[in-house]
């Protein structure tokens, strides 16, 4: 039985990963530690919370004592760190919490991992640590780190700390860097669920700048399978890029969402650009393809249709999650622009 501490497992990717493991890997036991910030929600784990191979603990990754107690009590062998502040726009308006969680929090986990002689540490990172691309080329694992937003800078700092702990104390680690995810349970502040939610409510769809910025999209299920591959077969000290070669301009994605929902393009509203907005991301995933035999399986058109269907079938989740704190934040953000 693999005994895994998953952090951030009530968020978008973490909860998809926990559900996938509990469904597909019966020999895994998971302790799921999450602070339940605005982005973490136990509803994301509905039907799995009381699974015999799953325990949920509400805690902060900065709480080293609790992390060490969990490792001892549950004989944890592996840590997978999803926990993070993850939204670029929030990092621009309030960067401090990004340092506290993404940098100091990762440091706390690394210290616990070394003190308790954890067998394997997986750091879930992002393509955004590489900065931005011009019209051609792709990020490889050799691309120098050149983050542009407080979010990506905090993730790059965490990656460097992980590497330093491997070098200094021999921690067995791998880092995964994935491109933009979409799929069920994504908090509707990120572009795809935000546009779906606004379109469903006949509200304007706010496209930043000229809408020609490019993101490389991957379905969250493909990402979860890639993380499993890295956990099971990845080499210590290695970084793996994960992507599905699906570059799209934002405006193209927004128009596709409107078409699938049979809503008019007149809902599109071009708004002031995000400060320092990265122009283009594109991932070269040939290393994980050739060394670990992982390939993405879900094409964008099918994945987006499935995602829209999920949001249509989960309108209650959507309305609960967009009430309260998030609504206030959203209004404030646009008022400040
Ligand atoms: P998310 O914001 O949906 O979820 C983050 C989770 O972490 C939430 O459940 C939140 O409650 C929890 N959390 C935040 N601070 C915490 C703390 N101090 N202690 C414990 N838990 C805390 O984010 P996501 O989109 O699921 O991203 C997960 C990870 O994947 C992040 O590390 C992110 O950088 C990385 N990533 C995301 C994407 C993407 O497209 N969303 C792409 C590549 C990499
Ligand atoms: P986002 O989902 O925030 O992910 P990231 O910034 O980490 O790539 O944004 C994806 C793209 O969509 C990015 O180019 C910014 C753009 N965007 C909009 O045009 N409007 C929006 O309301 C949001 C949230 C994002």
């Amino acid at each position: 039985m693999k005994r895994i501490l998953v952090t951030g497992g009530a968020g978008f990717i973490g909860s998809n990963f926990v559900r996938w493991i509990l469904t597909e890997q019966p020999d895994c036991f998971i302790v799921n530690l999450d602070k339940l910030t605005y982005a973490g929600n136990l509803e994301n784990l509905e039907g799995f919370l009381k699974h015999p191979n799953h325990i949920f603990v509400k805690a902060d990754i900065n709480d080293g004592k609790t992390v060490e107690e969990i490792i001892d009590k549950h004989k944890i062998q592996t840590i997978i760190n999803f926990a993070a502040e993850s939204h670029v726009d929030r990092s621009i308006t309030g960067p401090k919490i990004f340092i506290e969680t993404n940098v100091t929090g990762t440091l706390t986990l690394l210290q616990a991992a070394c003190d308790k002689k954890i067998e394997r540490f997986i750091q879930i990172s992002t393509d955004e640590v590489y900065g931005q691309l011009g019209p051609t080329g792709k990020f490889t694992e050799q691309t120098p780190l050149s983050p542009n937003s407080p979010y990506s800078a905090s993730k790059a700092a965490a990656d460097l700390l992980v590497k330093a702990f491997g070098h200094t104390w021999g921690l067995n680690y791998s880092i995964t860097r994935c491109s933009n995810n979409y799929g069920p349970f994504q908090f509707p502040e990120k572009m795809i669920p935000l546009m779906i939610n606004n379109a469903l409510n006949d509200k304007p769809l706010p496209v930043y700048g000229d809408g020609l910025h490019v993101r490389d999209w991957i379905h969250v299920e493909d990402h979860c399978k890639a993380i499993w591959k890295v956990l099971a077969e990845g080499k210590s000290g290695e970084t793996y890029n994960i992507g599905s070669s699906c570059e799209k301009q934002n405006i193209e994605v927004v128009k596709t969402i409107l078409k699938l929902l049979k809503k008019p393009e007149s809902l599109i509203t071009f708004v002031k650009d995000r400060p320092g907005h990265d122009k283009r991301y594109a991932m070269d995933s040939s290393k994980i393809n050739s060394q670990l035999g992982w390939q993405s399986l879900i094409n964008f058109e099918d994945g987006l249709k499935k995602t829209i269907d999920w949001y249509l079938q989960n309108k209650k989740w959507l309305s609960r999650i967009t009430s309260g704190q998030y609504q206030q934040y959203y209004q404030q953000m646009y008022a400040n622009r």
Side-chain angles (χ1 to χ4, degrees):
M1 171 85 59
K2 274 198 172 71
R3 306 184 70 82
I4 306 172
L5 171 60
V6 168
T7 68
F12 163 49
I13 303 173
S15 67
N16 274 283
F17 184 75
V18 168
R19 282 195 309 277
W20 183 83
I21 290 250
L22 293 174
T23 309
E24 301 292 331
Q25 305 293 339
D27 66 334
C28 286
F29 173 79
I30 292 184
V31 180
N32 182 353
L33 180 152
D34 196 296
K35 187 178 166 186
L36 298 182
T37 66
Y38 78 94
N41 193 326
L42 288 181
E43 276 189 59
N44 297 356
L45 294 161
E46 213 183 332
F48 290 86
L49 259 184
K50 292 191 175 143
H51 190 287
N53 287 354
H54 178 252
I55 288 178
F56 180 80
V57 179
K58 182 177 185 304
D60 191 320
I61 54 169
N62 281 295
D63 179 356
K65 190 166 169 278
T66 299
V67 172
E68 295 203 359
E69 279 169 10
I70 288 171
I71 293 172
D72 284 341
K73 184 172 171 197
H74 298 289
K75 300 186 173 54
I76 296 295
Q77 301 157 315
T78 297
I79 297 178
I80 310 181
N81 183 28
F82 291 91
E85 287 293 333
S86 67
H87 191 41
V88 172
D89 290 319
R90 284 180 188 255
S91 82
I92 294 167
T93 49
K96 198 159 177 242
I97 187 73
F98 284 72
I99 304 305
E100 286 163 6
T101 289
N102 301 0
V103 186
T104 314
T106 302
L107 173 65
T108 307
L109 292 177
L110 289 166
Q111 283 171 324
C114 286
D115 288 351
K116 297 291 174 187
K117 301 192 171 35
I118 285 293
E119 291 167 24
R120 190 130 170 78
F121 189 100
I122 308 294
Q123 174 68 3
I124 306 302
S125 186
T126 163
D127 58 353
E128 302 192 26
V129 296
Y130 297 123
Q132 65 178 337
L133 292 163
T136 58
K138 292 186 174 199
F139 298 130
T140 72
E141 289 82 357
Q142 276 71 49
T143 303
L145 300 187
S146 183
N148 287 321
S149 71
Y151 162 66
S152 54
S154 69
K155 293 296 290 185
D159 287 8
L160 293 177
L161 280 171
V162 174
K163 204 163 173 276
F165 271 67
H167 183 80
T168 310
W169 285 285
L171 178 72
N172 179 322
Y173 77 88
S174 297
I175 297 170
T176 63
R177 295 188 180 135
C178 190
S179 62
N180 284 64
N181 284 222
Y182 68 98
F185 297 99
Q186 187 168 30
F187 191 85
E189 66 181 353
K190 303 281 167 53
M191 186 183 81
I192 286 185
L194 181 135
M195 299 299 177
I196 294 172
N197 188 34
N198 284 16
L200 284 175
N201 292 296
D202 298 309
K203 280 167 51 182
L205 274 56
V207 174
Y208 297 167
D210 57 11
L212 301 181
H213 298 76
V214 173
R215 295 294 181 264
D216 188 349
W217 294 98
I218 182 171
H219 193 276
V220 65
E221 194 179 307
D222 277 329
H223 185 193
C224 291
K225 290 179 182 168
I227 294 167
W228 177 256
K229 267 279 180 194
V230 172
L231 168 67
E233 296 169 35
K235 285 203 195 114
S236 178
E238 295 288 323
T239 295
Y240 297 91
N241 282 356
I242 301 167
S244 69
S245 295
C246 175
E247 289 181 53
K248 303 268 179 217
Q249 289 180 334
N250 293 337
I251 189 68
E252 193 187 339
V253 175
V254 170
K255 284 184 178 171
T256 309
I257 290 170
L258 287 170
K259 199 168 157 209
L260 288 169
L261 283 170
K262 300 190 174 55
K263 296 283 183 176
E265 287 190 5
S266 56
L267 285 174
I268 294 173
T269 310
F270 290 94
V271 299
K272 196 168 171 222
D273 209 353
R274 170 189 282 171
H277 194 174
D278 282 341
K279 189 71 189 178
R280 175 173 165 260
Y281 303 145
M283 280 304 236
D284 178 337
S285 311
S286 50
K287 179 175 171 180
I288 190 169
N289 296 159
S290 64
Q291 294 187 9
L292 304 185
W294 171 87
Q295 298 282 350
S296 66
L297 298 175
I298 302 175
N299 78 48
F300 186 70
E301 286 65 29
D302 294 344
L304 189 61
K305 266 189 215 137
K306 252 173 72 176
T307 302
I308 289 178
D309 284 346
W310 185 87
Y311 280 92
L312 284 169
Q313 282 155 23
N314 288 275
K315 281 187 180 161
K316 277 192 185 148
W317 176 92
L318 199 51
S319 68
R320 271 196 295 273
I321 215 158
T322 51
S323 60
Q325 200 193 356
Y326 172 64
Q327 282 293 5
Q328 282 165 20
Y329 166 78
Y330 185 70
Q331 280 160 12
Q332 209 181 358
M333 188 174 90
Y334 283 100
N336 289 340
R337 280 212 170 164

